[in-house]
Amino acid sequence: MLRRDMNRLALAWALSAWAGVQPALAAGQRQAGPTWQTDPFALGVASGQPHPDSVVLWTRLLMSDADAAQQASAQTVLCELFADEALRQPLRQWRVETDARRGHSVHVLATGLQPGRHYWYRFVCGSAQSVVGRTRTSPAPDARVPLLRIAQASCQHFEQGHYVAHREMAQRELDFVLFLGDYIYESSNPKYRIRPHRGGVPKTLEEYRQRHAQYKGDADLRACHAAHPWVMTWDDHEVVNDYANDQDNRFSDPALFLQRRAAAYQAYFEHMPVRIGPDPLAPHQMRIHDRMAWGQLADLWTLDCRQYRDHQACPDPNRGGARVVVGCDALQDVRRSMLGSAQEAWLMQGLVDSQRDSPGRWRLIAQATQMSSTGIATPLGRSTFNDAWDGYPMARERLLAGIAEMRLSNAVVLGGDVHMNVAANLRVRPNDEQSPVVASEIVTTSVSSRGMGDALLATIRENNPDIRHARSDERGYTLLDVRPQGVTATFRTTAFPVQPDSVMREQARYEVLTGQSGVQRA
Ligand SMILES: [Fe+2]
């Protein structure tokens, strides 16, 4: 696609997302609207995508049966921004029209803000008022920042555990939460169900809305959104397990599957503090990949590993989806891509620009899954899990060889998806000591989704010396402290996410020192 067309599309998306924003109310003007029987702000508030001068503020009106009469009409929501926690210093207001076509969701792009500071916000609609959220802008582009503190998280199957991780994240001082996918799960496993999903497997927009709303019914998750801005990408379960581009795990007719994907993307947009929604001209497309900076300290890319990828190599012809393959020649096809050619080129150009402009800066490459290899030697050859980067080895080699060629220092890949904490070294040729370590990897365990068994993980570790730490037995999140001299990853975990009052502890701590690729135990 031509850049010109990309720009036009981006503009169309942006306008579609913000078309409802009206001029602000004058100060002191009363907010007209319904008298609510139940709280329409039960899903809470959220903020995200912080820039030096802006941040996205989000809520969605949820209407109970008692308020069903309001469902059909457009609603006006007032968004108020304050400079202080006590809400004594109002800064700006926005009046936003929303309606059933966007699930009564509200996205406000709060602009004209100052860099590197906190703001507080809330929403008002008729008789109802939301809780107060706190957010934060990123530092000015030229700011010398001593510390960036991120909570990295992924994979929060509602049925499989309580959100103890979110409770702790909500209470911490963080710059932002980095959520790397599997925010909702479409599927169920009756063996591990401490609190059931409502409804069956979602396929329609209304069903995806209900699933998202159930997840945001969790008080710890709401608290974590209200406490910090979130920076997000998605993985497969926001739509369906193991999907790849236009193919689902049952080889459904791609045209039908793309309709389902459009419903899932629309519901995702309606529930998340993200700038851009589905493309109105092609609603099965939604741009989620993005780039941001944290002053002079770090550049961060958030990648989309699902929408544009090639189908998994050598799938089971009957079952579809991901599997472990041996002797799969298709893996060596250099045309296959995890990111799609446009996103891949965009990332490489961004890395080149970043290295040229600020050689000492951290390059944080956040994506949904695991980049280091987890293959196992078998009598028939090395086994490969075809859904993670192992299933796209030539694309991985291109990326890591590109990083090596441009002598990019300080590249740290951040991942999720695999329900285990991993600290690993990344080489152009995995596990080959002749191939230098060119980047480092930190994968966070799941918030609540169950991990693989210890025996399999032990075999993976034995077969992959680049993996310096791997534990799949505990749930939690990862605290990343990014400083000019190094990045420290602290794995915060609990073995008991099924107990709502369990507490988190430190499982292990790894660090990457500036100018030295590779992880080491801190
Ligand atoms: Fe997951």
Side-chain angles (χ1 to χ4, degrees):
M1 191 185 293
L2 293 172
R3 174 166 296 206
R4 189 169 68 235
D5 295 332
M6 283 289 282
N7 288 342
R8 204 161 48 220
L9 260 185
L11 184 66
W13 291 341
L15 286 176
S16 78
W18 306 111
V21 179
Q22 305 289 317
L25 285 179
Q29 197 171 336
R30 196 184 159 276
Q31 168 65 18
T35 301
W36 299 97
Q37 304 303 307
T38 55
D39 180 13
F41 293 113
L43 301 181
V45 301
S47 70
Q49 289 187 291
H51 284 215
D53 61 348
S54 70
V55 67
V56 178
L57 306 177
W58 169 93
T59 192
R60 179 189 165 214
L61 302 176
L62 186 70
M63 298 175 197
S64 68
D65 289 345
D67 290 311
Q70 306 301 335
Q71 196 55 256
S73 45
Q75 301 293 337
T76 302
V77 179
L78 181 73
C79 176
E80 301 174 292
L81 187 76
F82 301 87
D84 64 322
E85 189 172 7
L87 312 186
R88 291 201 188 93
Q89 301 169 52
L91 290 175
R92 286 189 70 182
Q93 295 184 333
W94 295 265
R95 199 172 46 133
V96 182
E97 289 259 313
T98 184
D99 59 32
R101 287 173 304 171
R102 58 186 71 211
H104 291 99
S105 61
V106 175
H107 294 80
V108 171
L109 183 61
T111 54
L113 308 184
Q114 287 169 9
R117 59 154 296 174
H118 282 114
Y119 289 91
W120 287 260
Y121 62 97
R122 71 176 170 198
F123 298 88
V124 184
C125 182
S127 63
Q129 193 168 295
S130 75
V131 296
V132 175
R134 185 185 71 159
T135 190
R136 179 170 183 77
T137 49
S138 61
D142 60 352
R144 302 261 159 214
V145 186
L147 171 67
L148 160 62
R149 177 164 267 202
I150 302 171
Q152 176 188 353
S154 73
C155 298
Q156 49 184 22
H157 203 304
F158 185 85
E159 295 186 324
Q160 296 182 1
H162 293 280
Y163 294 160
V164 187
H166 286 302
R167 190 181 318 149
E168 184 171 289
M169 284 187 256
Q171 289 160 8
R172 279 192 179 274
E173 273 306 315
L174 301 173
D175 289 300
F176 58 86
V177 172
L178 178 65
F179 197 85
L180 298 177
D182 292 349
Y183 188 98
I184 59 162
Y185 279 72
E186 86 293 355
S187 52
S188 243
N189 183 343
K191 263 168 48 187
Y192 311 111
R193 187 185 283 159
I194 58 160
R195 44 178 190 173
H197 281 151
R198 284 194 296 270
V201 175
K203 293 205 167 86
T204 66
L205 173 55
E206 200 47 47
E207 289 163 352
Y208 280 110
R209 280 175 177 157
Q210 285 168 12
R211 183 58 48 88
H212 275 283
Q214 182 177 11
Y215 276 56
K216 284 217 165 64
D218 184 281
D220 293 320
L221 178 59
R222 285 201 308 278
C224 192
H225 275 295
H228 313 291
W230 283 39
V231 174
M232 312 184 64
T233 188
W234 54 36
D235 195 28
D236 52 341
H237 288 284
E238 283 86 352
V239 182
V240 65
N241 185 36
D242 293 344
Y243 87 90
N245 198 319
D246 62 352
Q247 189 175 84
D248 71 6
N249 57 3
R250 289 184 178 173
F251 303 116
S252 300
D253 175 357
L256 286 179
F257 172 64
L258 288 179
Q259 285 177 26
R260 181 181 183 186
R261 200 178 89 174
Y265 285 3
Q266 174 67 21
Y268 183 90
F269 172 68
E270 290 174 1
H271 289 84
M272 300 302 166
V274 294
R275 276 168 200 252
I276 296 177
D279 175 0
L281 304 175
H284 61 279
Q285 294 176 20
M286 174 172 152
R287 178 166 172 158
I288 190 104
H289 62 281
D290 196 12
R291 177 184 172 175
M292 63 183 283
W294 207 261
Q296 288 292 306
L297 181 63
D299 284 331
L300 171 74
W301 287 262
T302 42
L303 305 181
D304 181 339
C305 293
R306 285 290 160 191
Q307 188 172 187
Y308 313 110
R309 69 155 76 188
D310 282 293
H311 301 156
Q312 289 92 350
C314 304
D316 183 326
N318 301 312
R319 205 178 60 89
R323 68 164 170 168
V324 174
V325 295
V326 178
C328 172
D329 292 339
L331 290 173
Q332 303 309 317
D333 185 343
V334 296
R335 293 167 302 183
R336 296 182 68 255
S337 172
M338 172 68 107
L339 304 174
S341 53
Q343 186 183 193
E344 200 175 307
W346 166 84
L347 171 63
M348 289 307 281
Q349 188 59 51
L351 292 171
V352 167
D353 295 345
S354 171
Q355 172 74 352
R356 184 196 55 224
D357 298 343
S358 353
R361 202 180 277 204
W362 288 98
R363 252 66 62 161
L364 308 176
I365 303 170
Q367 47 82 49
T369 182
Q370 183 175 0
M371 192 168 282
S372 48
S373 183
T374 58
I376 295 170
T378 77
L380 299 172
R382 193 172 161 91
S383 72
T384 299
F385 179 56
N386 67 355
D387 193 59
W389 282 89
D390 261 352
Y392 300 81
M394 305 315 286
R396 173 174 62 195
E397 190 176 303
R398 262 197 309 279
L399 175 58
L400 292 172
I403 286 174
E405 263 164 43
M406 68 179 89
R407 298 180 188 283
L408 185 82
S409 53
N410 295 351
V412 182
V413 176
L414 305 173
D417 175 46
V418 290
H419 309 177
M420 56 183 176
N421 285 323
V422 175
N425 295 332
L426 295 172
R427 307 172 196 266
V428 176
R429 293 190 303 279
N431 301 309
D432 178 353
E433 287 207 0
Q434 305 301 312
S435 183
V437 177
V438 299
S440 318
E441 180 177 46
I442 301 293
V443 178
T444 189
T445 192
S446 50
V447 167
S448 55
S449 313
R450 287 182 64 90
M452 72 170 77
D454 283 343
L456 174 58
L457 184 59
T459 311
I460 287 174
R461 274 201 307 263
E462 279 161 26
N463 279 267
N464 295 279
D466 282 348
I467 295 180
R468 309 313 296 266
H469 177 92
R471 275 188 64 177
S472 58
D473 58 325
E474 295 189 321
R475 315 277 67 86
Y477 71 99
T478 299
L479 207 53
L480 289 173
D481 285 335
V482 183
R483 295 185 174 88
Q485 64 272 28
V487 174
T488 306
T490 306
F491 298 127
R492 297 285 306 167
T493 55
T494 173
F496 308 106
V498 295
Q499 292 170 12
D501 56 350
S502 66
V503 256
M504 316 219 62
R505 57 170 197 91
E506 182 176 319
Q507 179 186 85
R509 189 180 287 210
Y510 279 78
E511 65 185 1
V512 182
L513 300 178
T514 186
Q516 296 178 32
S517 297
V519 294
Q520 46 190 286
R521 189 134 196 169

